[in-house]
């Protein structure tokens, strides 16, 4: 067998191995949010980072969604209904306001929803280290440049600003 033939066979074998390995990574099943077809969500989706808090981005099967980690420790939906004014805790990370829901804290799962941006983005973050969990602050910081593209129509206020 010639050197050229061996090179071609090696290249084909490497290609088949690469396809086999990438075929093992399943896409994350998700449901699109009600307003997932909003053009602003398309802007967000194409700018989502390949890594969040060190987790690799995964393919999803729904429009305007994102997932990171294996198993998926971060799930994102663009196009959710923006939250109304609330007394729930609101945090600002890199210029983006997020309403914080810790009602599933016992399961080490936290939900953050953008506040004052239309459409809204919802992010579920697992903090359970046994399930690939990560820091919510790191995730929100890494999402800032993408999510910050959404039009801001209001912002979180603290008690001293509500007078």
């Amino acid at each position: 067998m010639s050197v050229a033939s061996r090179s071609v066979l090696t290249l084909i074998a490497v290609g088949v191995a690469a396809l086999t390995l990438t075929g093992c990574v399943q896409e994350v099943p998700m449901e699109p949010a009600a307003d997932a077809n909003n053009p602003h969500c398309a802007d967000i989706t194409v700018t989502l980072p390949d890594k969040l808090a060190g987790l690799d981005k995964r393919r999803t099967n729904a429009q305007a969604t994102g997932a990171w980690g294996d198993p998926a420790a971060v799930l994102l939906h663009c196009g959710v209904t923006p939250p109304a004014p609330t007394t729930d805790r609101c945090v600002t990370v890199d210029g983006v306001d997020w309403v914080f829901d810790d009602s599933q804290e016992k399961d080490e799962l936290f939900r953050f929803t953008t506040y004052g941006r239309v459409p809204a983005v919802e992010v579920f973050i697992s903090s359970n280290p046994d399930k690939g969990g990560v820091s919510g602050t790191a995730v929100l910081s890494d999402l800032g440049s993408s999510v910050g593209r959404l039009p801001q129509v209001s912002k979180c206020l603290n008690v001293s600003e509500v007078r």
Side-chain angles (χ1 to χ4, degrees), residues 80-142:
V80 300
T81 303
T86 180
T87 57
D88 292 344
R89 189 164 83 171
C90 191
V91 296
T92 303
V93 179
D94 293 343
V96 178
D97 293 338
W98 299 88
V99 175
F100 176 59
D101 176 1
D102 63 355
S103 62
Q104 297 179 31
E105 182 176 17
K106 66 178 174 58
D107 297 323
E108 299 179 87
L109 184 64
F110 301 91
R111 181 175 65 174
F112 294 86
T113 307
T114 55
Y115 184 81
R117 298 196 184 252
V118 178
V121 171
E122 175 182 73
V123 181
F124 286 92
I125 303 170
S126 170
S127 65
N128 185 331
D130 296 331
K131 296 180 180 175
V134 292
S135 157
T137 304
V139 168
L140 299 181
S141 181
D142 288 350

Side-chain angles (χ1 to χ4, degrees), residues 25 44-52 55-59 65-69:
V25 178
I44 300 304
T45 304
V46 299
T47 63
L48 289 174
D50 291 332
K51 282 194 178 282
L52 274 185
L55 300 176
D56 290 326
K57 187 175 178 187
R58 306 249 324 262
R59 288 181 46 131
T65 60
W68 292 262

Side-chain angles (χ1 to χ4, degrees), residues 63-84:
Q63 182 176 345
T65 60
W68 292 262
D70 190 8
V74 178
L75 301 174
L76 176 144
H77 292 91
C78 182
V80 300
T81 303

